[in-house]
Amino acid sequence: MKGFHERNDSLNCSSKASIDSSPTPGTGSEPGPNDSKFSKTSLWSNFFASAFSVFDTYSESSSSSACERKSSFSKTNGWTAAVKRVVSGGSMRRIHERVLGPSKIGISSSTSDIWLLGLCYKISQESSGDVDATSALAAFKQDFSSRILMTYRKGFDAIGETKITSDASWGCMLRSSQMLVAQALLFHRLGRSWRKPSQKPFDLAYIEILHQFGDSEASAFSIHNLVEAGKNYGLAAGSWVGPYAMCRSWESLARSKREEIDLECQLLPMAVYVVSGDEDGERGGAPVVCIEDASRHCFEFSRHQADWTPILLLVPLVLGLDKVNPRYIPSLQATFTFPQCLGILGGKPGASTYIVGIQEENVFYLDPHDVQPVVNLSTENLEADTSSYHCNIIRYIPLESLDPSLAIGFFCRDKDDFDDFCFRASKLADESNGAPLFTVAQTHSVFKPINHGDTMANAGGDRMDDSVRVLPTGDVDGNSHEDDWQFL
């Protein structure tokens, strides 16, 4: 982790040559051209996110006559149909490529190590030899293509009382979050070493996981159920939502499913802990992983039967105003070295992606912006076609190009794994030069709102765990940097 912070001093934005890989049919398409007129990406993304979100919505005034409704429909139907054709075709990919900014396909010419969700691939021929480097690169590609991909779908049952049957143009944040949670389930049930088999039949656990993310109310973690669970946080079919609301929606959905099903049959067999700062993030500042809270979440999840259970940590962050503050970039890079890493929900406003790996200043991501027909898998069919849930096309963009509003995920299998996470997170905060992504505390009593020049005091007199370090959000000179944070 220290190496990331040392290398930050020499970070630059120079682009590297790309080694293109041939796209495979079905899961990807050609990237859009690099056009300078789309440099104002946030403007474009907000336009498309707000404009496209209304095309599938259905509203009707109780006082309108049938004649008026027919007239209104005839005026808008042609434009709506035209936009739907754009959204459902390759043009949607080109639009979102421009919103996200220039991206590249394949692996850059760099020979630096690649980190993918906690695993390191050494592709340098100098350090590992030609054969080992080639083998490491092939292993990375296999690992990447084994990650579960969730994309826009069309043709599913209408969401709730709406007439919306596709999430194209508005559901990318929901799809990105589905990918992150799906990886957590893969790690829990099949282990980090699992790779998608080349031969059928598939593992039952693998098919069951995909089934849970089907596009119907019958699937526990469908877009339908996510929208319903997130109503209190602003989720609505046809509207875009940010990372913080998305994390809270998953917390709500997990709670509702836990109450419906016996403990032994939990579909999400882990506690969900959304990490936030003082007073639930109302004051801004670095979120705090409270060990006491994590323990309570596990205890409640087990219905008071166990002191600890597997736990999913979701950490929503806002690391700047218009772009990620460079002070946070080394810490973001280092999170991919954590064995507990589940990646990042991030991208641009209105164009979310699931970021799974990093090489120097470039991040590798899975892109949900392809529109595919709905697929609802049966758990009884172990030879089902699951190709639409994976992607062989490796895309990357500069880390610094991400929008500052994002969320990081971590999965801790047991108490030892959580303790290891806390140790790594505390060490990362120590090396952050006063700009930690988040901090770690034993109890609530040890973190209080930080004012300019204040020092951290243990007001309650509780003794902290020796392995845990709590840092104020200011730098070593006592200067606060909360201006870089937006209230969550």
Side-chain angles (χ1 to χ4, degrees), residues 364-379:
F364 300 100
Y365 65 95
L366 290 169
D367 193 349
H369 298 107
D370 280 319
V371 184
Q372 301 188 90
V374 64
V375 175
N376 286 307
L377 301 178
S378 169
T379 56

Side-chain angles (χ1 to χ4, degrees), residues 13 75 87 103 241-242 273 296 328 378 430 470:
C13 303
K75 291 177 181 178
V87 166
S103 64
V241 68
Y273 175 21
R296 175 176 55 82
Y328 298 112
S378 169
D430 281 340
V470 183

Side-chain angles (χ1 to χ4, degrees), residues 26-245:
T27 57
S29 56
E30 293 295 330
N34 180 10
D35 196 331
S36 60
K37 67 181 178 181
F38 291 97
S39 59
K40 302 295 184 182
T41 55
S42 60
L43 177 64
W44 278 102
S45 61
N46 286 328
F47 169 77
F48 287 118
S50 59
F52 285 172
S53 65
V54 301
F55 291 136
D56 273 323
T57 56
Y58 174 86
S59 61
E60 180 176 319
S61 171
S62 58
S63 61
S64 298
S65 66
C67 219
E68 289 171 336
R69 292 195 300 270
K70 183 176 180 182
S71 174
S72 174
F73 178 79
S74 63
K75 291 177 181 178
T76 60
N77 187 49
W79 170 240
T80 302
V83 172
K84 282 184 177 180
R85 286 193 295 271
V86 172
V87 166
S88 300
S91 298
M92 194 72 224
R93 158 68 57 195
R94 290 189 289 274
I95 288 171
H96 280 282
E97 288 274 354
R98 287 166 174 167
V99 171
L100 284 168
S103 64
K104 295 183 179 180
I105 293 177
I107 310 295
S108 74
S109 59
S110 172
T111 57
S112 298
D113 294 346
I114 296 175
W115 285 91
L116 179 66
L117 300 183
L119 288 186
C120 180
Y121 294 94
K122 296 184 178 296
I123 63 171
S124 172
Q125 296 180 357
E126 295 179 1
S127 60
S128 58
D130 292 352
V131 175
D132 291 339
T134 301
S135 177
L137 190 57
F140 162 71
K141 291 179 178 179
Q142 183 187 25
D143 192 358
F144 181 90
S145 63
S146 295
R147 299 309 105 213
I148 292 178
L149 171 72
M150 304 287 179
T151 72
Y152 291 150
R153 297 284 181 174
K154 60 181 179 179
F156 49 67
D157 293 338
I159 298 176
E161 298 180 356
T162 72
K163 299 296 183 181
I164 297 178
T165 59
S166 172
D167 62 313
S169 83
W170 62 268
C172 55
M173 176 56 74
L174 284 82
R175 296 301 185 182
S176 298
S177 73
Q178 284 182 322
M179 288 190 259
L180 187 147
V181 176
Q183 307 315 320
L185 285 170
L186 270 184
F187 292 174
H188 177 73
R189 299 193 62 182
L190 294 170
R192 180 62 184 88
S193 61
W194 180 86
R195 301 291 182 268
K196 183 187 176 184
S198 57
Q199 302 293 327
K200 300 179 181 180
F202 295 125
D203 299 301
L204 175 60
Y206 164 65
I207 296 296
E208 287 178 341
I209 290 171
L210 295 182
H211 171 74
Q212 292 174 27
F213 293 89
D215 293 304
S216 70
E217 292 182 2
S219 296
F221 310 129
S222 66
I223 196 169
H224 300 66
N225 290 326
L226 267 175
V227 168
E228 178 64 27
K231 283 183 177 179
N232 291 337
Y233 302 102
L235 256 71
S239 299
W240 199 84
V241 68
Y244 179 79

Side-chain angles (χ1 to χ4, degrees), residues 20 47 72 93 156 163 195 203 220 230 262 267-268 280 289 314 334 337 357 382 405 421 480:
D20 290 345
F47 169 77
S72 174
R93 158 68 57 195
F156 49 67
K163 299 296 183 181
R195 301 291 182 268
D203 299 301
D262 293 337
L267 299 177
L268 188 64
D280 200 29
V289 177
L314 299 174
T337 69
L382 300 184
S405 181
F421 164 78
S480 174

Side-chain angles (χ1 to χ4, degrees), residues 234-302:
L235 256 71
S239 299
W240 199 84
V241 68
Y244 179 79
M246 196 70 257
C247 292
R248 288 297 181 190
S249 300
W250 272 103
E251 183 182 51
S252 177
L253 180 58
R255 185 186 304 113
S256 66
K257 293 302 177 184
R258 182 170 71 242
E259 294 170 353
E260 294 175 3
I261 304 173
D262 293 337
L263 183 62
E264 296 77 14
C265 305
Q266 288 294 319
L267 299 177
L268 188 64
M270 61 192 72
V272 178
Y273 175 21
V274 178
V275 179
S276 60
D278 183 74
E279 296 184 9
D280 200 29
E282 293 296 326
R283 296 175 183 266
V288 181
V289 177
C290 179
I291 297 175
E292 189 178 71
D293 280 354
S295 177
R296 175 176 55 82
H297 280 288
C298 291
F299 191 60
E300 291 176 355
F301 170 76
S302 69

